[in-house]
Amino acid sequence: MGIRGLMSFVEDHSNEFFTDLKLRDTKIIIDGYALFHRLCFNSNLELRYGGDYDSFADVVQNFFESLFACNICPYVVLDGGCDISDKKLTTLKDRAREKIQVAHSLSIGGGGCVCPLLIREVFLQVLIKLQVHFVQCFSEADRDIMTLANHWNCPVLSSDSDFCIFDLKTGFCPLNSFQWRNMNTIKGTQDYYIPAKCFSLDALCHHFSNMNKALLPLFAVLCGNDHINLPIIETFLSKVRLPLRATSSKGRRHHRVLGLLNWLSHFADPTEALDNVLKYLPKKDRENVKELLCCSMEEYQQSQVKLQDFFQNGTYVCPDALNLGLPEWVLVALARGQLSPFVSDALVLRRTILQTQVENMQRPNAHRISQPIRQVIYGLLLNSLSRTENMSWNALPPQPLAFSEVERINKNIKTSTVDAVELPKDSDLSKLTKVSLVRRQLLLLETLKVKQTILEPIPTSLKLPIAVSCYWLQHTEAKARLHHLQALLLGMLMGPLHAIINSPGKEELQEGGAKMLYEEFQRVKELTWPGRRLDLDTAHIFCQWQSCLQMGMYLNQLLSTPLPEPDLTRLYSGSLVHGLCQRLLASTSVESLLSMCPEAKQLYELLFNATKSYAPTELFLPKGKSNSKKKKQKKKSTNWSKNRVGNASDPRCLCEGSNRFGLLMVENLEEHFETTDFE
């Protein structure tokens, strides 16, 4: 949620409202959404190129290793989908518009912070790798976090100002004063601690004439949060004379916060205060406003959800979810983060919000290319919705079988209607886990328009990314060129290379050039950063690929992973892929780049051989040919693509070569991902 102006107000009074902590030897409940945003935006990561997920994964790992060193046991709680009431829709749309403006600023060389598309999935994969306890709530997590923290008597780590309102037994530690990078040792020992500050609700109430804590939820809704923004509240604020204690610039900046807290401190309890609010409003509006305010104040009370049950037994009861009559396996998968909030939004609200990337704002949004994948996802969900008796939309007419998508149109948002694909009735969501692996895999590959035989030689960990790449190449919206495909596939080598150079017993491969190639890729990545102008068309093409991968993963998850989920942490690095594009356009050939590591070259050939048959002929035409020349060259270029791609003398060529591939490289890749549990 979040209360306007409150966090900056309490931080301006840090000495009064916060106590210093030396945090160690404790459980801590972490607001996962706040954490991954904080780590993404405050770690000097490059955000223009669609995500350096490897760098982000390293930051997340370092964060949790600091906690482990201090014997702090983290429990991460993530937001799920939107509330079934959809009460935050206006706020979500406003934020979507803001993100478009920030993404546009980044795309033209300005500043700003926009999370890369797959950042949440990468965050979850690192949690799984590090065996950090986490749960994904059915909807917004704040109340559940507060309830769990009070049950375990441990602090909450977040950046959400709502935690200044919740009555937390052990307090709230803001992320911006949580110094995990500056661990200290307790004097005379070797025990580490993390310096932190803890907000004191008692100190805040004491500052305002020992006001009743129970008044703070009313303060939150009057001040304005993500759930309530009534114009009529402005009527109240304009009529009541809010007392101020300060006339400084800080006081004026926090006029509403100061005034409301001082005004409320004169009342004994929420009932008395609420009656005094209503008397300033027209009589005809009072009952409706009272009902809405009381309902909003409930958001700050204890939750019925007991997340401790999940962490102890692997399951928990969520009344809101149970009332919808959703399949049990869906509820379990949502709680474990095996299904995305995108799926629950589509399932519960028949509406999704498509996240804007740093893309070309003059072109249709990058998610258009993956719409056919989403239509299959919607089709699977509709086969469940039509059989669910307790849905709020049960009385609605069954046609059309459509969903709403909030998407970017130019530099604004628009809600579009998208029809679901009608699927066989036996693909009912409640029975989906009982469908054979072969049939589930077939549905996935048919959606991606890829033949299973194409993927057979591909290492299992890269089957889904290669299938998605084949889908991406078949869509004319992508307008991909040869160097885009080259750079993308080269980037996929980073995972295997990283696994080799960090695995004992692989000295032969390390000495054979894997480390040299990995370091060369790192140099390419680093040279992309300073002052480079973003190639908008290239950025847009890779944004489209990421959208295809995201939706391909969501469909794969919904089908209970007929293909293994890829390790995203080293699958795509935006800075590297953009830098490789520049190198390949200048003079470098793939063959010369990979010459230092034959195993990587052979794996690359394997990936290219799988994708080339799905690439349009135009992909292999020399840049700058006119349309008429393209037509004349069509037959010739087809032969060229089949027979000359491996020609080492051609600077445009891909090093296809023989059909052999690096067995050691592939075996290492298989071994690396088989030991990573994504279940």
Side-chain angles (χ1 to χ4, degrees), residues 110-298:
C113 294
V114 173
C115 269
L117 190 64
L118 300 172
I119 207 84
R120 190 179 190 279
E121 281 70 32
V122 172
F123 180 68
L124 286 180
Q125 289 190 351
V126 178
L127 295 185
I128 292 167
K129 175 186 173 186
L130 298 177
Q131 299 182 344
V132 173
H133 307 289
F134 74 92
V135 64
Q136 180 173 273
C137 293
F138 187 68
S139 54
E140 194 164 86
D142 290 0
R143 290 176 67 196
D144 298 342
I145 290 173
M146 179 262 289
T147 305
L148 178 63
N150 281 342
H151 177 77
W152 279 344
N153 287 315
C154 63
V156 169
L157 183 64
S158 178
S159 56
D160 192 332
S161 55
D162 278 304
F163 289 103
C164 295
I165 303 300
F166 290 122
D167 190 4
L168 291 162
K169 293 179 182 178
T170 319
F172 155 53
C173 298
L175 274 162
N176 60 359
S177 56
F178 188 74
Q179 300 178 53
W180 63 273
R181 288 185 172 96
N182 299 310
M183 288 188 300
N184 289 327
T185 55
I186 295 175
K187 192 173 181 179
T189 73
Q190 294 183 335
D191 297 330
Y192 287 103
Y193 69 86
I194 294 176
K197 290 187 178 295
C198 186
F199 174 76
S200 169
L201 191 65
D202 289 334
L204 176 71
C205 291
H206 178 74
H207 183 81
F208 289 95
S209 307
N210 290 315
M211 71 183 294
N212 185 348
K213 289 180 186 179
L215 289 161
L216 290 174
L218 179 58
F219 157 75
V221 297
L222 290 176
C223 200
N225 62 21
D226 290 348
H227 287 169
I228 187 165
N229 187 19
L230 282 179
I232 202 162
I233 297 300
E234 298 300 325
T235 303
F236 154 72
L237 291 169
S238 66
K239 290 183 178 180
V240 68
R241 299 184 69 177
L242 297 178
L244 287 177
R245 283 188 179 178
T247 56
S248 66
S249 60
K250 288 182 180 179
R252 289 193 296 271
R253 190 168 72 245
H254 297 125
H255 178 278
R256 178 177 294 200
V257 172
L258 266 170
L260 276 172
L261 287 171
N262 276 316
W263 184 78
L264 286 167
S265 68
H266 292 92
F267 301 106
D269 56 50
T271 302
E272 182 187 354
L274 186 55
D275 288 341
N276 274 272
V277 171
L278 296 174
K279 76 179 186 181
Y280 288 96
L281 305 180
K283 288 184 179 180
K284 64 182 177 65
D285 295 323
R286 290 178 185 176
E287 276 307 308
N288 286 338
V289 172
K290 181 178 181 179
E291 184 179 349
L292 184 58
L293 290 177
C294 288
C295 182
S296 297
M297 289 164 64
E298 282 294 316

Side-chain angles (χ1 to χ4, degrees), residues 63-77:
F63 174 85
F64 284 103
E65 285 177 349
S66 292
L67 299 189
F68 299 152
C70 300
N71 197 30
I72 298 171
C73 184
Y75 290 83
V76 178
V77 182

Side-chain angles (χ1 to χ4, degrees), residues 286-348:
R286 290 178 185 176
E287 276 307 308
N288 286 338
V289 172
K290 181 178 181 179
E291 184 179 349
L292 184 58
L293 290 177
C294 288
C295 182
S296 297
M297 289 164 64
E298 282 294 316
E299 295 294 330
Y300 295 93
Q301 304 307 312
Q302 289 276 121
S303 167
Q304 292 179 286
V305 172
K306 297 178 179 179
L307 291 182
Q308 62 268 24
D309 291 346
F310 178 83
F311 290 120
Q312 290 163 2
N313 307 316
T315 184
Y316 75 98
V317 175
C318 175
D320 288 344
L322 286 179
N323 290 338
L324 293 170
L326 300 176
E328 177 66 22
W329 81 265
V330 171
L331 297 179
V332 171
L334 285 169
R336 292 177 179 173
Q338 294 166 345
L339 286 177
S340 163
F342 172 91
V343 171
S344 61
D345 280 348
L347 190 56
V348 173

Side-chain angles (χ1 to χ4, degrees), residues 617 621-622 625-640:
T617 304
L621 287 174
K625 290 282 185 183
S626 67
N627 287 335
S628 60
K629 287 184 179 179
K630 283 181 183 179
K631 289 178 182 177
K632 293 177 183 177
Q633 291 281 340
K634 188 172 184 181
K635 185 175 179 181
K636 188 183 295 183
S637 64
T638 303
N639 293 333
W640 178 80

Side-chain angles (χ1 to χ4, degrees), residues 431-442:
K431 303 172 184 173
L432 205 53
T433 52
K434 298 176 183 177
V435 176
S436 70
L437 172 63
V438 172
R439 289 194 60 195
R440 287 183 282 119
Q441 194 173 93
L442 184 62

